[in-house]
Amino acid sequence: DNRCVEFDRRENQRCAFTMAEILLSLTIIGVVAAITLPSLTGNINERTWNTQRKALYARMSQAIALMPALNGYGTLTEGNDSTSAVDTAAETFVTEGLSKVLKINNICDADHLQDCGIASSITTQGGSLIAVPNTLVALNKFFNGSYEYSNGVKTSYSQLDTKAAAFETQNGESLLTYYNPNCVSNPASDSFYLQPTMCVNFIYDLNGNKGPNTVGKDIGAMTVFYPSDSVVVAPMPLNRQPIRKSDFYEAIAYCRNQDSESRVPNIDELASIFVNMNLFSGFDYDAYWSSNKNGSKVWTLSFFSGGRHLRDANYSVTLLLHCVKR
């Protein structure tokens, strides 16, 4: 103030902040930093995870494309009263198949998953803490048994449960592997069950033993369908509940309006979401839209039976929806 200026000129001294004023300023800065830093750190982590996720998907897609076929690896026999079940399917797929086309540091069987950086439990996209599934049926109960179409015609679908295996990549990712050695090609039908077409499913952890071990952050899923001409997908649903009673065009518009990276999943991504439905949030046993058209119809997926179906051409039926990130 004026007195300070006059004092400064008169005594040839400088004015300064008091200790109380300095402490108050530092307190305000600390409060602002405490509020903003977690958000900034979270955004940086999310961008890092997105970059790692895309890089892992690219490497896995290239590796799968180099494999001659994805079925037939390992031994899988049911046990009975006099013999024990034999299951080397997933482990053999990794050791004898995938490791030939992908640089792998470590491979672990079902009894030593944690040795490959697999956490004992993970947080789902909905916020629930679940034990890491160690078999295919533990991953998804619909992979156990056989089903019938609504008209009573029995499918050829029959699935034996398989143990999971795990491996670590040279880049530090840990991948839990679920394998179906009897997977089949796309039957090119208007309605069929997807379970027999799934060859491999991976739950990946981008930073191994480090946290937060949460789906949508460092953890996600990747699924491979069909033993030859395979399709690899790694969908990441938005962490929102699905809208109900939406026709096809409303579904497309809804996802576009969520954010710049949101869209309706294609049919294989939707099938992967079904396989990993316990990891994601907001699912119901109902039918869901995909973005795939087949002539004048649209592919949909029924979560109750795990089937794929083609709907009517007018696109006016009302189904559930999950949007995914690009």
Side-chain angles (χ1 to χ4, degrees), residues 18 26 32 57-58 60 95 108 110 121 124 129 154 184 188 211-213 224 234 250 260 271-272 284 318 322:
T18 66
L26 292 176
V32 172
Y57 173 75
M60 292 297 294
T95 57
C108 304
S121 61
T124 69
L129 188 67
K154 208 168 205 178
V184 298
N213 294 328
V224 187
E250 289 173 342
S260 60
S272 175
D284 198 359
T318 55
H322 257 288

Side-chain angles (χ1 to χ4, degrees), residues 16-79:
F17 291 108
T18 66
M19 181 62 71
E21 290 172 329
I22 294 174
L23 292 176
L24 179 61
S25 299
L26 292 176
T27 301
I28 294 173
I29 293 172
V31 170
V32 172
I35 294 173
T36 58
L37 281 178
S39 177
L40 293 174
T41 303
N43 290 336
I44 292 172
N45 286 339
E46 185 172 349
R47 288 195 295 269
T48 301
W49 288 326
N50 283 336
T51 301
Q52 288 181 284
R53 185 180 300 117
K54 292 176 182 178
L56 175 62
Y57 173 75
R59 284 185 280 116
M60 292 297 294
S61 297
Q62 184 178 28
I64 293 296
L66 294 174
M67 295 184 65
L70 301 185
N71 54 3
Y73 287 92
T75 301
L76 181 62
T77 60
E78 289 184 290

Side-chain angles (χ1 to χ4, degrees), residues 56 116-119 122 130-135 138-140 164-167 173-178 200-206 214-215 218-223 275-280:
L56 175 62
C116 282
I118 302 298
I122 59 177
I130 64 171
V132 169
N134 58 4
T135 69
L139 173 71
N140 186 316
F167 64 92
E173 302 105 347
S174 298
L175 284 88
L176 191 58
T177 306
Y178 306 88
V200 196
N201 187 74
F202 303 101
I203 295 178
Y204 59 81
D205 189 332
L206 297 172
T214 299
V215 176
D218 57 333
I219 289 181
M222 189 181 308
T223 313
V275 172
N276 298 281
M277 61 188 299
N278 292 327
L279 303 182
F280 301 120

Side-chain angles (χ1 to χ4, degrees), residues 53-282:
R53 185 180 300 117
K54 292 176 182 178
L56 175 62
Y57 173 75
R59 284 185 280 116
M60 292 297 294
S61 297
Q62 184 178 28
I64 293 296
L66 294 174
M67 295 184 65
L70 301 185
N71 54 3
Y73 287 92
T75 301
L76 181 62
T77 60
E78 289 184 290
N80 52 43
D81 293 338
S82 59
T83 63
S84 299
V86 177
D87 181 359
T88 65
E91 185 181 358
T92 304
F93 170 78
V94 177
T95 57
E96 300 298 328
L98 193 58
S99 65
K100 307 298 183 183
V101 293
L102 182 71
K103 293 181 180 179
I104 293 175
N105 280 348
N106 191 21
I107 301 173
C108 304
D109 61 23
D111 297 323
H112 303 88
L113 298 178
Q114 281 68 44
D115 292 343
C116 282
I118 302 298
S120 58
S121 61
I122 59 177
T123 302
T124 69
Q125 194 177 42
S128 301
L129 188 67
I130 64 171
V132 169
N134 58 4
T135 69
L136 180 57
V137 172
L139 173 71
N140 186 316
K141 64 181 180 180
F142 292 107
F143 275 83
N144 188 29
S146 60
Y147 299 91
E148 295 182 358
Y149 288 116
S150 59
N151 62 6
V153 178
K154 208 168 205 178
T155 71
S156 59
Y157 166 55
S158 180
Q159 176 67 47
L160 296 177
D161 196 9
T162 56
K163 295 179 181 179
F167 64 92
E168 292 177 298
T169 69
Q170 284 194 335
N171 293 66
E173 302 105 347
S174 298
L175 284 88
L176 191 58
T177 306
Y178 306 88
Y179 179 56
N180 174 16
N182 301 320
C183 63
V184 298
S185 299
N186 190 328
S189 170
D190 285 355
S191 180
F192 63 91
Y193 288 97
L194 66 86
Q195 287 94 327
T197 66
M198 191 220 81
C199 294
V200 196
N201 187 74
F202 303 101
I203 295 178
Y204 59 81
D205 189 332
L206 297 172
N207 53 13
N209 287 319
K210 299 178 182 178
N213 294 328
T214 299
V215 176
K217 295 182 178 180
D218 57 333
I219 289 181
M222 189 181 308
T223 313
V224 187
F225 295 98
Y226 319 125
S228 58
D229 298 324
S230 302
V231 175
V232 185
V233 291
M236 183 55 69
L238 298 183
N239 192 14
R240 301 182 179 93
Q241 294 292 321
I243 59 172
R244 293 178 178 271
K245 296 183 178 179
S246 168
D247 67 30
F248 178 73
Y249 293 110
E250 289 173 342
I252 297 294
Y254 177 84
C255 286
R256 285 176 178 172
N257 292 333
Q258 297 305 300
D259 57 50
S260 60
E261 294 189 345
S262 175
R263 58 177 173 78
V264 176
N266 63 43
I267 187 60
D268 295 310
E269 291 171 327
L270 192 57
S272 175
I273 294 172
F274 164 77
V275 172
N276 298 281
M277 61 188 299
N278 292 327
L279 303 182
F280 301 120
S281 63

